[in-house]
Amino acid sequence: MALHLHNTLSRSVEPFMPLDASGKSVGMYCCGPTVHDFAHIGNFRTFVFADLVRRYLEFRGYQVNHVMNITDVEDKIIRRVREQSTTLAEYTAKYTDAFFEDLQTLNCVEPHHIPKATNYIPEMIDLITRLIERGIAYQAPDQSIYFSIEKYQGCGCQYGQLANLNFDEMRQGDRVSEDEYEKECVADFALWKARVPEDGEVYWPSPWGEGRPGWHIECSAMSMKLLGTSFDLHLGGEDLAFPHHEDEIAQSEGAAVQEDGRSFVKYWLHGAHLLVEGKKMSKSLGNFFTLRDLTDQGYNGREIRQLMISAHYRETFNFTLDGLAGARTALNRIHECVTKLRDQAGDTTADPAPQVLEQFTGAMDDNLNVSSAWAAVFDWVRDCNRRLVDGTLDTAGAAAELAAWERIDSVLGVGQADEAAPEALVALMHERTEARAAKDFARADAIRDELSEQGWAIEDTPNGPRLKRS
Ligand code: AMP
Ligand code: ZN
């Protein structure tokens, strides 16, 4: 089976066929964070989902060009800059840096391009100019530039490709200037917002006077600049489908910059939301977590990542602390099995064992069915453990299973590298072996206690003793 993905545009699961004639290169854009605060674990469910898509495409042999923007100018950010009497650059730098630290904690692969909206203002102005020239955008009495849905539809384009909208209630001239607005509100939206006193020093010059871009135009300009006017995949959380993504389509296709017959984006993928303990996250309910809140409680990034990718991306996911404890147990089981496979394989290398890889690939090809992919991994763990115990897994067999796991983990990204013990402790471990050989058990026990105090335990393996974290 080839890879199939659910496309919000067609509301169905479709075979994935890139636009590239050779079928190899894939352009992928995921709306990045609005850096107004630390990102919460709901945001990270979406970013880990994008990382999973990118890793799986690479596993399938595609050459991915992965773009994720940073929204560093938008309504909420400007409000905070004003409240804290700081500058836009200073304010957003803090949360941008924190975001990248968190992505690393979650073992996400860094996107190839990470454009910041404020570095693409000329591209946004060009796009708006083009929309004005085509008669689809206009300047309103508030001096801001708006996108006319009526004119857009008049050009034969369709507004409402991702969302079902009620046009009966649309009144000509209704406008929204906020970056985020009510679901199904069919109204002209702001492309360029004229400077108002509350914006403080956050403004740029433009042919229409000082102001700043609307949120939606930011993503249209950055994605088309970096991936071309038509590209393969556009991702985000389900709340972005409307109005953000609908407006991105309208602006990008309204500018008519695509080749004949091509749309702005071929596949739209939306990740469902994450709830915490069954409820929408909220500070007042005490169920609002940033990643840092969880790592402060002693969970590591791999455990949090495992839990986030344990369920299908199109299902709302209920994140719980019990679930996190379960993720720890699950990863420990995998880690123990992989450690034993490493001991058995020694330095031998082999091609990946086909069986588990085929099951994993079959599951992931089916619109990234991770639940079945994990089931294949846990069946494999059970099977390897059994074969290690009954002696039916020889060195070459263990190396092949290990190679299969390494391929799978290039997608899941949860494996732990064996932490190397400091040399001084390894020397102590060898001293203990000698002490035991010399029947100096008091010294041997003292060394064991000292190692234990430093957080290391001695494990006997077929290749001799070695240190592992206790
Ligand atoms: P923002 O920084 O608010 O623009 O959001 C960044 C990303 O997180 C977007 O793709 C949102 O759709 C997504 N998102 C926001 N809340 C949640 C949630 N509770 N669960 C999953 N994704 C979310
Ligand atoms: Zn976006």
Side-chain angles (χ1 to χ4, degrees):
M1 187 164 87
L3 173 60
H4 283 63
L5 295 171
H6 182 272
N7 189 352
T8 313
L9 263 185
S10 64
R11 292 153 180 82
S12 64
V13 176
E14 298 176 19
F16 177 69
M17 282 184 286
L19 293 165
D20 170 36
S22 73
K24 263 195 110 34
S25 303
V26 172
M28 163 173 154
Y29 185 91
C30 178
C31 292
T34 306
V35 282
H36 62 92
D37 208 334
F38 293 109
H40 57 61
I41 57 169
N43 301 137
F44 281 115
R45 181 188 191 195
T46 295
F47 298 123
V48 171
F49 154 59
D51 181 66
L52 186 76
V53 172
R54 180 231 169 119
R55 284 170 175 261
Y56 191 63
L57 288 166
E58 288 178 344
F59 171 94
R60 276 313 233 138
Y62 294 108
Q63 221 170 353
V64 184
N65 189 3
H66 177 193
V67 180
M68 183 190 63
N69 72 293
I70 299 290
T71 299
D72 60 349
V73 54
E74 145 306 338
D75 294 351
K76 277 193 288 252
I77 296 177
I78 292 180
R79 209 164 40 238
R80 300 271 178 101
V81 168
R82 190 176 63 239
E83 285 163 5
Q84 299 187 14
S85 310
T86 175
T87 63
L88 188 75
E90 197 179 350
Y91 183 84
T92 56
K94 173 177 169 189
Y95 294 111
T96 307
D97 291 349
F99 176 72
F100 284 110
E101 274 172 30
D102 289 353
L103 272 193
Q104 246 181 24
T105 302
L106 288 167
N107 199 24
C108 289
V109 182
E110 190 167 301
H112 301 97
H113 298 277
I114 307 168
K116 286 185 184 170
T118 50
N119 290 335
Y120 287 76
I121 305 283
E123 284 79 3
M124 296 169 203
I125 290 177
D126 285 351
L127 195 53
I128 299 169
T129 305
R130 171 122 183 121
L131 290 168
I132 294 174
E133 281 165 5
R134 296 201 76 231
I136 293 176
Y138 62 93
Q139 191 158 31
D142 67 0
Q143 300 305 306
S144 294
I145 308 290
Y146 287 87
F147 184 94
S148 162
I149 292 176
E150 203 196 3
K151 294 277 169 42
Y152 175 66
Q153 304 248 72
C155 293
C157 297
Q158 186 201 343
Y159 189 77
Q161 297 187 33
L162 297 172
N164 291 317
L165 299 171
N166 182 356
F167 286 90
D168 296 342
E169 286 178 10
M170 181 183 177
R171 282 171 309 171
Q172 217 183 330
D174 270 0
R175 283 189 281 268
V176 276
S177 61
E178 292 84 27
D179 282 330
E180 289 171 85
Y181 50 90
E182 282 297 297
K183 225 178 164 45
E184 301 198 359
C185 163
V186 189
D188 293 357
F189 55 90
L191 298 169
W192 185 263
K193 305 186 191 200
R195 185 180 177 195
V196 290
E198 297 81 61
D199 290 343
E201 293 308 302
V202 183
Y203 67 90
W204 288 264
S206 85
W208 322 289
E210 290 167 344
R212 61 183 170 101
W215 173 35
H216 316 303
I217 199 78
E218 297 179 1
C219 281
S220 286
M222 289 184 277
S223 61
M224 292 202 289
K225 171 81 178 182
L226 292 164
L227 293 171
T229 51
S230 292
F231 56 92
D232 298 290
L233 287 158
H234 197 312
L235 280 68
E238 60 187 350
D239 59 314
L240 297 195
F242 186 87
H244 185 54
H245 290 161
E246 194 67 54
D247 291 349
E248 275 192 50
I249 296 178
Q251 299 157 152
S252 311
E253 297 190 355
V257 285
Q258 287 75 24
E259 270 176 47
D260 268 355
R262 285 207 166 172
S263 53
F264 165 50
V265 170
K266 191 166 178 193
Y267 302 92
W268 286 90
L269 268 57
H270 290 105
H273 268 197
L274 174 149
L275 304 175
V276 176
E277 307 287 347
K279 300 215 168 64
K280 190 171 171 199
M281 259 187 289
S282 102
K283 290 193 174 144
S284 60
L285 287 177
N287 68 345
F288 184 97
F289 292 114
T290 63
L291 190 67
R292 285 132 200 268
D293 294 332
L294 295 177
T295 50
D296 285 350
Q297 290 191 27
Y299 294 102
N300 70 39
R302 310 284 165 120
E303 291 159 352
I304 300 164
R305 178 183 173 96
Q306 197 281 335
L307 187 55
M308 283 178 175
I309 55 171
S310 61
H312 197 275
Y313 73 93
R314 296 198 65 235
E315 282 166 20
T316 300
F317 182 63
N318 187 22
F319 192 98
T320 64
L321 291 179
D322 282 349
L324 214 36
R328 173 167 293 177
T329 309
L331 291 191
N332 282 343
R333 273 183 60 208
I334 296 175
H335 186 57
E336 273 172 25
C337 174
V338 169
T339 307
K340 282 188 253 164
L341 287 174
R342 285 206 183 113
D343 290 340
Q344 178 75 345
D347 294 334
T348 307
T349 54
D351 287 338
Q355 198 187 346
V356 65
L357 263 185
E358 274 164 25
Q359 286 171 355
F360 175 80
T361 310
M364 294 296 281
D365 273 354
D366 179 15
N367 190 25
L368 310 177
N369 186 344
V370 277
S371 328
S372 220
W374 283 111
V377 168
F378 289 115
D379 284 349
W380 169 80
V381 167
R382 202 172 313 116
D383 189 53
C384 287
N385 282 339
R386 187 182 50 73
R387 289 161 70 202
L388 282 161
V389 169
D390 67 21
T392 52
L393 198 54
D394 61 12
T395 304
E401 298 300 344
L402 201 54
W405 166 249
E406 275 158 15
R407 287 281 293 138
I408 290 172
D409 196 44
S410 72
V411 179
L412 299 177
V414 294
Q416 297 162 19
D418 262 341
E419 191 184 353
E423 270 176 35
L425 298 188
V426 175
L428 259 185
M429 177 186 74
H430 290 312
E431 196 187 321
R432 176 175 172 268
T433 309
E434 283 160 23
R436 279 165 65 114
K439 300 208 169 0
D440 183 355
F441 295 114
R443 174 71 188 138
D445 288 351
I447 293 176
R448 190 197 54 213
D449 292 348
E450 187 177 338
L451 288 170
S452 166
E453 255 171 49
Q454 304 213 29
W456 294 86
I458 298 169
E459 187 183 41
D460 284 312
T461 78
N463 302 330
R466 67 135 189 250
L467 288 176
K468 70 166 193 178
R469 274 280 177 202
S470 54

